[in-house]
Amino acid sequence: MGKVLMKGNEAIGEAAIRAGCLNYFAYPITPQSEVAEYLTHRLPEEGGVFLQGESEVAVSYMIFGAAAAGARVFTTSSSPGISLMSEGISYIASAQCPAVFVNIMRGGPGLGGILPSQADYLQATKGIGHGDFRMLVMAPASVQEAVEMTMAAFPLAEKYRNPVMILGDGLIGQMMEPVDFPEHLKTPPSNKNAWATNGMDTRQSEARNLVKSLYLDPEQLNQHNLMLKAKYEQMEAEEVKAEAYNVDKDYKILIVSYGTMSRVCKTAIMQLKQEGLEIGLIRPQTLFPFPGEMVLQAATKDSCQAVVSIEMSMGQLVEDVERYVKGQRPVSWFGKCGGEVPTPEEIIDHIKAML
Amino acid sequence: MEIKLSGIILIVGNYGSGKTEVAINLAIGSRTSGKDVQIADLDLVNPYFRTREVKDLFSDLSINIVLPPDQYLNADLPILSPAVAGMLRNPQEVTLIDVGGDDAGAIVLASLADALTDKNYRMLQVVNPLRPFNDSVEGCLAMRSKIETASKMQVNGLIGNANLINETNIEMIYSGHDFLKDVSQASSLPLELITVPAHLMPEIDTARVSCPILPIKRQLVPPWEKPVPVAIKP
């Protein structure tokens, strides 16, 4: 199959099908409703199921139930809908069920607006719901990357038995780009027999699987949480991904930026290069685990005088950047968060003002 | 071959087939050839990449554009401005209506039936065979019939819009053209025109194409790209 022109939302739906996920529960919200629209046509062709929940809270428990039974399952929503799902996500993380959540972010807080934003960075990366847990969070910068990350999300969710989130801004969902669906991304079969309540037919052992998040004994709960912590540490050791751009040059400023925002930064970097000014960029592809070591290394290069976090949020990514740069270079924030995307010109002006 | 479209032109088609970019470029092309042009954004489905994004350009070109009031531009509400019906009652030389995608987007046309009574109009279906659900003749015919049912109007022409945006090449344009000829034959609808990105125009063998060509200067771009410049004559 050659390339096709797809909206990010459609491509995410198709990618999930190609990853062997035929179970989709969701509630429509702009700017991600096209996922549901697309899967309404496509899932029946594949023998799959799309059920619209009566709310996002209900959807999160449909996901929990399906995941506990061993089904590959996912949902998509946008900021306010994800907040409603956060309770269910916390249960799913504690019960160690694999599931994929896609957040196509819009401007907030509250009802906010429907235009692109990255306002949910801290919510996604610092444990989205109550309790003490983490999701693995990936942030695509193109429709093609949204496809690849969605396809990778399912085996990662099963490897860690943990929720995985694809965090895209509204542009990722709404823009159209040419994509292909590479064969090499075919997803391996699920490891569900080891943990799912899917009946004894296919099991090798007599042991019963139990899915639960209730631990009344404090010592048991402490042990459970230590075990979860070890999984997050393993993610930090094994799953970090980031793109380094123009870092072989002697840049004076390092930009840290993710998602479509990083593409505006690249346009600015190209234009500044023509003026003889080199700027480096680290683009986190995983937001949790955060590519802190890469940021630190790039920030402490001899030529680098300062680091700026450029975001469609009011200073969220910058907290992680500061955490790793540890005062070795000045770290500042630049961004907008109301649906307007900073333009290449605004970034260029800001960079020049920093020098 | 020259594009001979005039009067009321309704642009319909599958979601994401490129209706808005086609409508914008038809408006620019008609205005550049000296015609009076007006255009209405009737897309009640799509939240991003809409006609409204060329508001300033169209004002410079003296193209009359009908949009919902400013304060509702990003309201995510289906707003149908009463000015659209007025525009259809008093059409200019070229009156373009950019309709929303699929049958869902075309439903709104039924509410304009009164204003369209006794008017000659062309309803043109845009097809990009490089989009999902557009890649088979049957798929295109099915969408035609859904749009006709929803709008209570007849599609009476086709626009070929084969493209992969920045990755479009000449081969895609020729094979898209040939595909549209098949759709045209199966549906008995004339192929009104095909689109070609303006920068590829010098490479096109016009003898290979059986219909007029609309060069596309892309206006709906993501924030890291610039729209293709359009010359504004005083």
Side-chain angles (χ1 to χ4, degrees):
Chain A
M1 180 180 161
K3 283 194 174 180
V4 284
L5 188 60
M6 290 184 99
K7 266 201 175 203
N9 284 333
E10 300 168 334
I12 286 167
E14 183 63 32
I17 289 176
R18 306 253 178 163
C21 173
L22 296 177
N23 304 282
Y24 173 68
F25 308 115
Y27 188 89
I29 178 171
T30 306
Q32 68 71 53
S33 299
E34 292 86 356
V35 186
E37 177 75 21
Y38 183 81
L39 289 176
T40 302
H41 297 291
R42 278 288 285 129
L43 274 174
E45 292 176 9
E46 302 287 336
V49 177
F50 162 38
L51 193 61
Q52 179 173 326
E54 69 268 35
S55 77
E56 288 89 346
V57 178
V59 165
S60 69
Y61 287 98
M62 290 172 168
I63 300 283
F64 188 12
R72 226 166 237 176
V73 61
F74 91 120
T75 187
T76 60
S77 188
S78 181
S79 310
I82 294 288
S83 289
L84 285 171
M85 289 182 189
S86 63
E87 180 188 271
I89 298 175
S90 173
Y91 279 67
I92 292 168
S94 177
Q96 299 197 84
C97 290
V100 174
F101 292 81
V102 179
N103 181 3
I104 301 297
M105 292 177 281
R106 51 191 258 173
L111 202 49
I114 62 169
L115 292 173
S117 139
Q118 297 177 322
D120 307 340
Y121 177 90
L122 288 174
Q123 184 200 38
T125 57
K126 307 296 175 191
I128 193 162
H130 65 278
D132 197 347
F133 73 98
R134 292 287 188 272
M135 292 183 297
L136 204 154
V137 184
M138 294 186 277
S142 67
V143 176
Q144 184 66 46
E145 199 173 38
V147 164
E148 290 170 14
M149 286 178 173
T150 303
M151 293 180 85
F154 292 93
L156 280 170
E158 284 160 12
K159 175 180 174 184
Y160 290 100
R161 293 175 54 194
N162 199 70
V164 172
M165 178 167 276
I166 307 291
L167 192 68
D169 53 79
L171 272 170
I172 283 289
Q174 291 296 323
M175 69 180 173
M176 286 213 212
E177 288 187 318
V179 281
D180 58 13
F181 293 88
E183 287 298 316
H184 72 264
L185 285 175
K186 281 263 184 284
T187 309
S190 165
N191 55 2
K192 63 185 175 189
N193 281 345
W195 47 265
T197 53
N198 61 340
M200 301 301 284
D201 296 358
T202 55
R203 301 269 178 78
Q204 303 295 323
S205 81
E206 292 292 304
R208 289 182 178 276
N209 288 343
L210 177 65
V211 171
K212 65 163 189 169
S213 73
L214 179 66
Y215 293 86
L216 292 177
D217 176 340
E219 185 42 35
Q220 267 188 20
L221 183 53
N222 186 47
Q223 287 305 321
H224 178 65
N225 285 333
L226 282 170
M227 183 270 299
L228 294 179
K229 181 168 183 278
K231 290 202 301 190
Y232 310 139
E233 285 164 1
Q234 189 189 348
M235 289 178 197
E236 292 188 296
E238 295 178 17
E239 311 301 343
V240 172
K241 263 191 159 179
E243 179 196 0
Y245 181 78
N246 209 38
V247 291
D248 53 331
K249 300 291 184 303
D250 284 331
Y251 49 87
K252 289 188 175 168
I253 306 281
L254 177 72
I255 295 176
V256 183
S257 186
Y258 71 98
T260 64
M261 189 68 251
S262 70
R263 293 175 75 172
V264 186
C265 292
K266 282 184 181 175
T267 299
I269 290 171
M270 297 278 276
Q271 287 180 27
L272 286 167
K273 190 188 273 291
Q274 282 165 10
E275 296 177 28
L277 190 61
E278 297 291 357
I279 305 295
L281 168 73
I282 298 289
R283 173 174 76 89
Q285 290 163 294
T286 54
L287 302 181
F288 183 89
F290 187 76
E293 288 308 317
M294 275 181 79
V295 169
L296 174 65
Q297 224 172 35
T300 50
K301 187 168 177 167
D302 284 346
S303 64
C304 182
Q305 297 170 357
V307 183
V308 58
S309 170
I310 301 187
E311 356 170 342
M312 285 186 260
S313 48
M314 287 294 155
Q316 299 193 28
L317 173 68
V318 69
E319 288 189 11
D320 273 336
V321 177
E322 280 170 339
R323 200 156 63 87
Y324 282 92
V325 175
K326 292 185 183 119
Q328 300 198 48
R329 292 290 185 282
V331 174
S332 60
W333 164 86
F334 181 68
K336 277 186 177 177
C337 185
E340 275 181 282
V341 183
T343 63
E345 290 72 26
E346 286 168 338
I347 292 171
I348 288 169
D349 289 348
H350 183 79
I351 296 277
K352 285 182 174 167
M354 285 175 71
L355 290 166
Chain B
M1 270 175 279
E2 203 186 326
I3 296 171
K4 288 203 184 90
L5 290 174
S6 61
I8 298 170
I9 303 159
L10 311 167
I11 307 288
V12 298
N14 276 74
Y15 191 67
S17 53
K19 294 171 296 299
T20 301
E21 194 70 79
V22 167
I24 288 170
N25 277 272
L26 271 175
I28 294 170
S30 306
R31 182 76 194 113
T32 312
S33 66
K35 289 178 181 150
D36 285 331
V37 178
Q38 56 184 358
I39 183 169
D41 179 352
L42 219 61
D43 187 343
L44 309 187
V45 180
N46 216 15
Y48 291 21
F49 299 109
R50 297 181 51 171
T51 319
R52 56 190 61 162
E53 298 186 29
V54 293
K55 210 163 79 158
D56 295 342
L57 172 70
F58 277 16
S59 140
D60 293 345
L61 288 167
S62 307
I63 293 172
N64 179 23
I65 176 169
V66 174
L67 297 171
D70 272 349
Q71 69 265 39
Y72 302 125
L73 269 184
N74 292 309
D76 202 14
L77 292 169
I79 296 168
L80 176 59
S81 164
V84 177
M87 184 170 146
L88 293 173
R89 287 196 182 90
N90 303 296
Q92 292 185 354
E93 281 178 279
V94 177
T95 295
L96 284 157
I97 311 288
D98 174 21
V99 183
D102 287 0
D103 42 332
I107 289 173
V108 63
L109 288 176
S111 69
L112 296 168
D114 275 356
L116 284 162
T117 312
D118 304 329
K119 292 278 190 303
N120 284 321
Y121 64 84
R122 306 295 315 279
M123 183 151 96
L124 305 179
Q125 181 181 350
V126 178
V127 174
N128 178 359
L130 294 161
R131 286 272 302 146
F133 312 121
N134 274 222
D135 52 358
S136 71
V137 172
E138 300 73 48
C140 296
L141 298 183
M143 185 44 69
R144 172 201 181 178
S145 128
K146 282 186 192 171
I147 289 172
E148 290 183 336
T149 306
S151 65
K152 300 185 168 61
M153 294 165 74
Q154 304 299 310
V155 172
N156 41 33
L158 297 168
I159 293 179
N161 188 38
N163 78 90
L164 281 183
I165 306 186
N166 293 341
E167 294 180 28
T168 312
N169 63 36
I170 296 286
E171 244 348 277
M172 287 169 197
I173 290 164
Y174 290 148
S175 59
H177 165 266
D178 297 346
F179 174 82
L180 261 294
K181 293 299 286 181
D182 292 344
V183 180
S184 170
Q185 196 166 24
S187 62
S188 305
L189 295 172
L191 178 55
E192 291 292 337
L193 58 93
I194 64 161
T195 64
V196 173
H199 72 278
L200 290 179
M201 282 302 283
E203 292 173 49
I204 288 280
D205 174 9
T206 48
R208 174 77 177 71
V209 178
S210 66
C211 64
I213 293 173
L214 174 71
I216 295 284
K217 293 187 171 175
R218 196 170 166 226
Q219 299 302 308
L220 302 174
V221 292
W224 52 91
E225 288 178 31
K226 291 265 177 279
V228 179
V230 174
I232 297 163
K233 292 178 196 144

